[in-house]
Amino acid sequence: MRRRTFGLSNDRAARRRLVLGTLMPGFEGTTVPAWVTEAHAAGLASVCLHGPNMAGPEALSSLCASLRDGRPDLLIALDEEGGDVTRVHYLEGSPEPGNAVLGRLDDTRLTRDAAARMGRELTAYGINLDFAPVADVNSADDNPVIGARSFGISPPAVARHSAAWVAGLQEVGVAACAKHFPGHGDTHVDSHLGLPHVSVPREVLEVRELEPFRAAVAAGVACVMTSHIVVEAIDPVVPATFSEKALRSLLRGELGFDGVIVSDALDMVGASGTIGVPEAAVRALAAGCDLLCLGSETTGPEVDEVVEAVLVAVEQGRLTEERLVDARGRVARLAAAYPATGQPSPVTSEPFDLGVERAFEISEAARTWLASPAPPCIVQVETGSNPAVGIVPWGPAAIGAATDPAAVPTGAKVAVIGRGLAADHPAWEVCERLRAGGHPTIVVECGWPRGGADLVTYGGSPAVAAPLVRLLGVPG
């Protein structure tokens, strides 16, 4: 089989190496594809792991070791936020409670410890770049993509917990990345699926969206991730990922950030839905992005298309070679500052269980239900997840504590579990059916509250589900 060629024998070859040094593709499968190995030899500086790449601790350890075989200075990145968004624990759910719970506990020591604990686990696998913390202030209750990934609705609280997360992660040798700049919290559209707009005045942005990013920069965060959203007070037309006003003037200039600017995945509709990934890559680099996240299922030919588009943009004068040199240099310095140490090895995680239930919001109706002597039963109603979360076990079902609605015992009181409980969520219908059958029933929201739930946990990971099950009185 003919090997794919990533290099040429003229000046274009040197530029090609520069371009590859700014790209971070994902790939399909649980082993390293040949094209990734070849690309690394030709200058590719980074790779991003996603949920479908996971096949258990031993397989992840082997995968990371294989990635480093030909490129010891490789940046291996992923989204390990804890809570709903986990990659290392994609198959079983995260042992960490997630940001919304940590924000409600409001103990920055716990947040710093949680980040350090995750960082040590990543280090053991040889992963040295984590796309966390989420520094978005979740100011829209119906936000379809942030929600419980945020530390909360208070800008000062989100700021101090973002800074604590940065400190905890980076002190154990993993580069942190504050996201999604300039702030994805006040959106009603998922940028994986469309192009959100934030329409508030600049004065609101200053005291709400930007405060956590200022705190992360002051804490020395290594990376900042852009968002594919139009923030009209900054740039009324261009999404932040492609906006020099957002990246050069605001992030670099006003906030003083000097680290690596990484794009959110360019295969998202908010970035490339109308222009394609290669053109999105050109625009992101020109605006000031240094490292381009291409997407979870990138192929070798797709990387070639991006490289070619960037090379043509340089030849046409749309993008300068100096910009490529600057971006590649920043990425190289990041890799040097956070080297992977030792041979990747799997680790065992212990669940976070430090008073998580103190973060729960419990109504009087729920307290009355809890006090009832009737035997308790849990019914979990499946809920679709956004692309950032993926298909990860969550709620009491993840720990084997849920019952099929048809198997609810006579005389039992029932807790109906769901997340993202909008008015049209099927959990409400299940609840009414159980009540009509004579069961005292409450509704539990395992995410960000949207109104109506009797008990809110602000997260659905096993680390939250276990104390919830204990609180509800269901035998483990």
Side-chain angles (χ1 to χ4, degrees):
M1 179 174 139
R2 188 175 67 84
R3 287 173 63 86
R4 300 177 64 258
T5 301
F6 284 87
L8 299 174
S9 58
N10 52 30
D11 288 344
R12 219 169 186 254
R15 283 184 188 152
R16 179 178 288 269
R17 192 167 190 88
L18 284 176
V19 177
L20 284 167
T22 70
L23 305 185
M24 181 175 58
F27 57 86
E28 294 186 272
T30 57
T31 57
V32 182
W35 72 263
V36 172
T37 301
E38 294 175 27
H40 286 157
L44 189 69
S46 182
V47 69
C48 189
L49 302 180
H50 297 268
N53 298 127
M54 303 300 158
E58 294 287 347
L60 178 57
S61 180
S62 176
L63 175 63
C64 292
S66 296
L67 285 167
R68 292 208 176 280
D69 276 348
R71 193 70 191 266
D73 62 342
L74 183 69
L75 279 171
I76 301 179
L78 45 57
D79 295 278
E80 192 63 39
E81 300 172 11
D84 290 349
V85 176
T86 180
R87 301 298 181 249
V88 173
H89 300 281
Y90 193 77
L91 302 180
E92 72 277 8
S94 176
E96 298 292 335
N99 288 355
V101 170
L102 290 170
R104 284 180 62 80
L105 294 174
D106 201 15
D107 182 339
T108 53
R109 177 185 55 84
L110 290 180
T111 298
R112 185 168 181 157
D113 288 349
R117 190 163 47 247
M118 282 184 268
R120 285 190 291 271
E121 183 175 27
L122 297 181
T123 299
Y125 284 111
I127 297 165
N128 51 350
L129 173 56
D130 185 12
F131 295 134
V134 172
D136 304 308
V137 178
N138 196 68
S139 51
D141 288 344
D142 63 346
N143 193 312
V145 68
I146 303 300
R149 299 167 67 195
S150 168
F151 288 112
I153 62 173
S154 163
V158 175
R160 62 177 175 265
H161 284 279
S162 296
W165 183 285
V166 168
L169 192 65
Q170 294 189 170
E171 69 189 7
V172 298
V174 178
C177 180
K179 62 187 185 185
H180 307 81
F181 186 82
H184 209 315
D186 189 24
T187 57
H188 308 273
V189 173
D190 183 348
S191 53
H192 292 88
L193 310 175
L195 180 59
H197 283 243
V198 174
S199 304
V200 300
R202 178 61 186 259
E203 311 85 77
V204 175
L205 293 176
E206 289 291 337
V207 299
R208 189 178 67 182
E209 275 76 7
L210 297 182
E211 184 169 349
F213 289 98
R214 285 197 186 90
V217 170
V221 70
C223 293
V224 171
M225 177 179 281
T226 68
S227 59
H228 311 318
I229 64 176
V230 174
V231 182
E232 295 172 4
I234 298 171
D235 193 322
V237 177
V238 181
T241 299
F242 308 142
S243 171
E244 290 191 45
K245 294 176 183 177
L247 304 187
R248 295 184 190 276
S249 300
L250 179 56
L251 182 55
R252 291 265 188 239
E254 295 182 35
L255 271 63
F257 178 63
D258 195 42
V260 168
I261 300 176
V262 58
S263 75
D264 206 344
L266 294 180
D267 65 345
M268 295 164 62
V269 172
S272 58
T274 60
I275 60 175
V277 173
E279 175 62 19
V282 171
R283 296 186 188 186
L285 280 168
C289 288
D290 306 304
L291 183 59
L292 307 184
C293 181
L294 299 182
S296 61
E297 298 179 349
T298 318
T299 65
E302 288 170 338
V303 170
D304 284 344
E305 290 175 9
V306 170
V307 171
E308 182 62 22
V310 175
L311 291 174
V312 169
V314 172
E315 291 161 0
Q316 293 176 341
R318 296 179 59 205
L319 181 67
T320 67
E321 187 164 336
E322 289 75 17
R323 172 79 270 268
L324 290 180
V325 170
D326 174 57
R328 176 65 186 95
R330 290 180 187 275
V331 173
R333 289 192 293 275
L334 175 66
Y338 292 91
T341 56
Q343 183 72 12
S345 60
V347 298
T348 301
S349 296
E350 294 298 324
F352 180 106
D353 193 10
L354 296 173
V356 167
E357 62 276 8
R358 292 184 289 118
F360 296 173
E361 191 174 279
I362 305 174
S363 70
E364 284 304 314
R367 294 187 190 281
T368 299
W369 185 96
L370 291 169
S372 165
C377 183
I378 294 173
V379 169
Q380 182 165 321
V381 180
E382 274 309 310
T383 304
S385 59
N386 64 62
V389 174
I391 310 301
V392 178
W394 66 278
I399 57 174
T403 298
D404 187 279
V408 173
T410 301
K413 61 181 182 181
V414 184
V416 175
I417 311 292
R419 61 179 180 179
L421 294 176
D424 60 350
H425 195 286
W428 302 114
E429 182 183 345
V430 172
C431 174
E432 289 307 312
R433 192 163 62 244
L434 287 165
R435 285 174 177 165
H439 297 282
T441 304
I442 59 170
V443 175
V444 180
E445 166 69 79
C446 280
W448 193 269
R450 298 190 179 196
D454 302 294
L455 195 159
V456 182
T457 65
Y458 289 87
S461 74
V464 178
L468 171 63
V469 169
R470 288 197 300 269
L471 175 68
L472 297 176
V474 175

